[in-house]
Amino acid sequence: MNIEQARFNMIEQQIRTWDVLDQDVLNLLSKVKREEFVPQTYRTLAFVDMEIPLGHGEAMMQPKMEARIIQELAIQKTDKILEIGTGSGYLTALLAHQGHHVHSVDIAPEFKIQSEAKLKAHGFNNVSLEVGDAAAGWSRHGPYDVIVLTGSTPVLPEVFKHDLKPGGRLFAIVGDAPTMHAKLITCVVAGAYNSVTLFETSVKPLINAVQPERFVF
């Protein structure tokens, strides 16, 4: 396989056509080598428009989803970032390349160990990985400029909004299958938020995601 051709095709045919037009983001996808973060078994699928299994019932997002998240968050070099769900470490790498520091939390110790090694091997020293259940929030390093939930949540816990600095941005996929909504929430000033629905999708929920109160008859 011609890796660079496959990468070019991914960017031009999948990502650019999904309204990812920010040239800095497109350049970023050429710099940070996605195939280096894909499990060895699936490395030939690194540039395919699909979710890639990671183990523990989890999957790596489609390339276009990762790119769209980075574009919508408009990350600045001074941003302190919280990522809920480290997974493969690839989105972590993209966030770290664009921001000042990334705090990434995953419930699976194996993901932390694997991602830490990959990130260090590629020179990412502005990342702190932790093991924990952050589905209901992770305020210990807050407030944050950027928060990203890499799994869906039926209900978005208010703590995530409260942990944003003024001007901070939160990306979350909210709702139940089959239709969920990707949202970008911005803290306009302390206690006031603007929410925009970006697109519809369906993504596996975070483990222990907060559930809505459901009536039982």
Side-chain angles (χ1 to χ4, degrees):
M1 179 175 72
N2 182 328
I3 286 184
E4 292 311 318
Q5 185 63 49
R7 192 188 325 280
F8 176 84
N9 292 345
M10 174 190 75
I11 292 169
E12 294 302 317
Q13 296 170 13
Q14 296 174 41
I15 292 169
R16 192 185 287 276
T17 58
W18 216 53
D19 293 330
V20 180
L21 303 174
D22 185 320
Q23 194 58 49
D24 287 343
V25 175
L26 298 175
N27 292 343
L28 175 65
L29 301 173
S30 294
K31 291 175 192 168
V32 182
K33 307 302 185 186
R34 192 173 200 269
E35 70 276 11
E36 301 289 338
F37 292 87
V38 173
Q40 190 64 39
T41 310
Y42 300 105
R43 198 163 180 181
T44 57
L45 302 176
F47 309 110
V48 177
D49 184 17
M50 63 175 284
E51 294 183 347
I52 295 176
L54 294 173
H56 300 285
E58 301 299 329
M60 198 171 175
M61 287 180 171
Q62 296 160 288
K64 64 187 181 187
M65 180 80 79
E66 296 159 336
R68 186 74 181 272
I69 290 170
I70 297 296
Q71 175 175 272
E72 297 295 345
L73 288 170
I75 298 163
Q76 306 297 310
K77 280 296 179 188
T78 53
D79 283 348
K80 178 165 65 170
I81 302 166
L82 173 65
E83 179 188 36
I84 308 300
T86 310
S88 70
Y90 178 65
L91 185 62
T92 319
L94 297 178
L95 294 166
H97 191 283
Q98 300 297 83
H100 177 67
H101 195 92
V102 179
H103 296 276
S104 187
V105 189
D106 204 292
I107 202 166
E110 184 181 328
F111 290 156
K112 174 186 181 290
I113 294 165
Q114 292 173 351
S115 296
E116 209 157 43
K118 291 173 184 175
L119 289 162
K120 283 182 179 176
H122 290 85
F124 289 100
N125 300 313
N126 59 333
V127 177
S128 302
L129 302 186
E130 298 175 80
V131 176
D133 182 356
W138 198 262
S139 301
R140 63 182 63 179
H141 307 296
Y144 307 97
D145 299 289
V146 171
I147 301 176
V148 184
L149 278 62
T150 65
S152 64
T153 183
V155 175
L156 181 65
E158 286 294 307
V159 66
F160 287 118
K161 295 198 294 188
H162 297 161
D163 281 345
L164 286 175
K165 295 179 185 179
R169 290 87 65 209
L170 162 65
F171 176 88
I173 296 171
V174 183
D176 290 304
T179 304
M180 305 173 184
H181 294 94
K183 295 180 177 289
L184 181 69
I185 298 167
T186 304
C187 178
V188 183
V189 294
Y193 307 91
N194 179 55
S195 179
V196 176
T197 298
L198 302 171
F199 51 86
E200 290 186 358
T201 187
S202 186
V203 172
K204 187 176 183 291
L206 293 167
I207 294 172
N208 299 330
V210 175
Q211 300 294 317
E213 292 184 12
R214 304 186 194 273
F215 290 104
V216 178
F217 295 96

